[in-house]
Amino acid sequence: MELSKRQEAIMEIVKKEGPITGEQIAERLSLTRATLRPDMAILTMSGLLEARPRVGYYFSGKTPGSVLAEKLHNIKVGEIKSVPVVVPEQCSVYDAVVTMFIEDVGTLIVVREGGLLEGVISRKDLLKTTLGGQDIHKLPVGVVMTRMPNVITVEPDDSVWLAAKRLITHEVDALPVVRPVRDDAGSLEVVGRLSKTNIARLFVELGEGGG
Amino acid sequence: MELSKRQEAIMEIVKKEGPITGEQIAERLSLTRATLRPDMAILTMSGLLEARPRVGYYFSGKTPGSVLAEKLHNIKVGEIKSVPVVVPEQCSVYDAVVTMFIEDVGTLIVVREGGLLEGVISRKDLLKTTLGGQDIHKLPVGVVMTRMPNVITVEPDDSVWLAAKRLITHEVDALPVVRPVRDDAGSLEVVGRLSKTNIARLFVELGEGGG
């Protein structure tokens, strides 16, 4: 949403002097209230200004950018997550690499019985291991994976924004999407996978048709 | 930007019957023109509807989503690209893996003299190679890299949206950012790197403060 010059002038006035009445704003701009009405309606209905009877207009603290931000916060992990690709802890590093190529993913999720989260293993972890000179046919992934409780996770109702923030902050490529297990404190059921690829794909979708 | 129920009703009418005058819309909704005026102003000024004198209102083809989309298309690759991490074609696979770990990147860009693009090599390519049982100290990356002209690239003035689209379409993690070399047709100077991490980071930045 692009603001007109006049709308920007109104925003400036309200930021400086708000709460301020419509009449006072009209006065500052040497315009009639009627002329301003559509602009005031746009600014309040888009959430940039708020209006309260007998108080006047004041700045909501939102910017056109934060209106976009709200949209990003409203999309949930559950809406865009991928199917998790899982292996058991006893799986060999060699088999893990093969699984990664077959499934074409960059991160495997390691689970115990019941699909409960034990750890994660990334392409980077596996590359480091293959260089180590150990017998990767015998080495179980449990030895080289990142183990609970050090795994960064996300829940289906978390926002995609929060997931992206965790991916960036913790410098990982993917997060297991989990649900706490009732009556089993600390256990997390794996219900999906959210990677940087999901974020990039969402980015593309949000931009479709706007070229 | 969220539309009110009434604004959505107006959008429906205009999509079906446009071009249509304000009076006709008011009639359909059993409202006065004065009541509708702020809504019509919002819908036209946000770009969802267009208005032409003596013709009426018609649908611009934009949706609230496409207003967001426009924003994503306006951000350029040059604004968010990272520094490229490059190796020469003669670099051994072993040294490439070491470089990848030291620089903590998922993709290396292979260049010849003058920083001109020759190829790219990903963590996935290297993982496949380390499994192959060859002597990775002697094997040059030139043998296993994706070579020009098969490398997917992007230019600094391209939109970040286009870059994300290429990342997803071609299933790669990063793109070399290049500039064509004048008087040397087909040669591309490497000026940066754009990865899914850049996209995720931008996503986080766009959403800052909107929580």
Side-chain angles (χ1 to χ4, degrees):
Chain A
M1 177 182 180
E2 292 287 316
L3 296 187
S4 69
K5 285 247 178 289
R6 189 195 286 162
Q7 287 160 5
E8 281 182 3
I10 296 169
M11 288 300 294
E12 277 314 298
I13 292 169
V14 177
K15 276 186 201 172
K16 259 190 225 149
E17 308 185 36
I20 181 171
T21 66
E23 258 158 57
Q24 291 169 314
I25 298 170
E27 218 168 77
R28 299 278 187 290
L29 294 170
S30 308
L31 294 167
T32 66
R33 279 217 60 185
T35 308
L36 277 192
R37 204 160 283 136
D39 293 312
M40 299 315 297
I42 286 175
L43 293 173
T44 50
M45 297 191 71
S46 64
L48 301 180
L49 292 187
E50 291 185 28
R52 210 172 281 164
R54 274 179 305 214
V55 175
Y57 294 94
Y58 57 95
F59 181 46
S60 66
K62 295 181 185 176
T63 60
S66 79
V67 174
L68 165 66
E70 263 188 33
K71 197 176 169 84
L72 299 184
H73 283 266
N74 285 340
I75 306 168
K76 300 297 174 202
V77 167
E79 297 169 42
I80 70 158
K81 69 180 163 62
S82 295
V83 171
V85 178
V86 303
V87 293
E89 195 174 333
Q90 299 74 30
C91 173
S92 73
V93 166
Y94 180 84
D95 285 343
V97 176
V98 170
T99 305
M100 206 171 252
F101 277 105
I102 290 174
E103 303 282 351
D104 199 22
V105 293
T107 303
L108 297 175
I109 303 176
V110 182
V111 295
R112 65 173 187 273
E113 218 169 308
L116 302 181
L117 182 63
E118 288 277 289
V120 293
I121 188 152
S122 69
R123 221 174 250 160
K124 195 170 156 186
D125 296 327
L126 291 175
L127 187 55
K128 203 185 287 175
T129 307
T130 58
L131 281 191
Q134 299 177 71
D135 184 351
I136 61 171
H137 290 270
K138 287 189 182 148
L139 191 67
V141 291
V143 176
V144 292
M145 72 182 185
T146 300
R147 185 178 289 276
M148 283 291 285
N150 299 319
V151 180
I152 311 299
T153 62
V154 77
E155 298 193 16
D157 285 340
D158 287 333
S159 73
V160 172
W161 182 83
L162 181 69
K165 176 120 181 131
R166 287 187 183 158
L167 288 168
I168 293 300
T169 306
H170 300 282
E171 300 186 352
V172 291
D173 285 329
L175 305 170
V177 182
V178 298
R179 256 198 226 104
V181 178
R182 218 176 291 182
D183 304 327
D184 185 2
S187 282
L188 299 171
E189 187 196 356
V190 176
V191 297
R193 174 174 58 93
L194 195 121
S195 68
K196 285 179 185 163
T197 303
N198 295 112
I199 303 290
R201 194 178 293 130
L202 174 61
F203 192 91
V204 171
E205 276 167 19
L206 290 174
E208 289 290 355
Chain B
M1 178 182 178
E2 292 286 316
L3 297 186
S4 68
K5 285 247 179 290
R6 189 196 285 165
Q7 288 161 4
E8 281 183 3
I10 295 169
M11 288 300 294
E12 278 313 298
I13 291 169
V14 177
K15 275 186 201 171
K16 257 190 225 149
E17 308 184 36
I20 181 172
T21 66
E23 259 159 57
Q24 290 170 315
I25 298 170
E27 217 169 78
R28 300 278 188 289
L29 294 170
S30 309
L31 294 168
T32 66
R33 280 217 58 186
T35 307
L36 276 192
R37 205 160 282 137
D39 291 312
M40 299 315 296
I42 286 174
L43 293 174
T44 50
M45 298 191 72
S46 64
L48 302 180
L49 292 186
E50 291 185 29
R52 209 173 281 166
R54 273 180 307 216
V55 175
Y57 294 95
Y58 57 95
F59 180 47
S60 67
K62 294 180 185 175
T63 60
S66 79
V67 175
L68 165 67
E70 265 188 31
K71 197 175 171 83
L72 299 184
H73 283 266
N74 286 339
I75 306 169
K76 300 298 176 202
V77 166
E79 297 169 43
I80 69 159
K81 68 180 164 61
S82 294
V83 171
V85 178
V86 303
V87 293
E89 194 174 336
Q90 298 75 31
C91 174
S92 73
V93 166
Y94 180 84
D95 286 343
V97 176
V98 171
T99 304
M100 206 171 254
F101 277 105
I102 289 173
E103 303 282 351
D104 198 24
V105 293
T107 304
L108 297 174
I109 303 177
V110 183
V111 295
R112 63 173 188 272
E113 219 171 308
L116 302 181
L117 181 63
E118 288 277 289
V120 292
I121 188 151
S122 69
R123 221 174 251 162
K124 194 170 156 184
D125 296 327
L126 290 175
L127 186 55
K128 203 184 287 175
T129 307
T130 58
L131 280 190
Q134 299 178 71
D135 183 351
I136 61 171
H137 290 270
K138 287 190 181 149
L139 192 66
V141 290
V143 175
V144 291
M145 71 182 183
T146 300
R147 185 179 288 277
M148 285 289 286
N150 298 321
V151 180
I152 311 300
T153 62
V154 77
E155 299 193 15
D157 285 340
D158 287 333
S159 74
V160 172
W161 182 82
L162 181 69
K165 177 118 180 133
R166 285 187 185 157
L167 288 168
I168 293 299
T169 307
H170 299 282
E171 300 184 354
V172 292
D173 285 329
L175 305 170
V177 181
V178 298
R179 256 198 224 105
V181 178
R182 218 176 289 181
D183 305 327
D184 183 4
S187 282
L188 297 172
E189 186 194 357
V190 176
V191 297
R193 172 174 60 92
L194 195 122
S195 68
K196 284 179 188 165
T197 303
N198 294 112
I199 303 291
R201 195 176 293 131
L202 174 62
F203 193 91
V204 171
E205 277 167 20
L206 290 174
E208 289 291 354

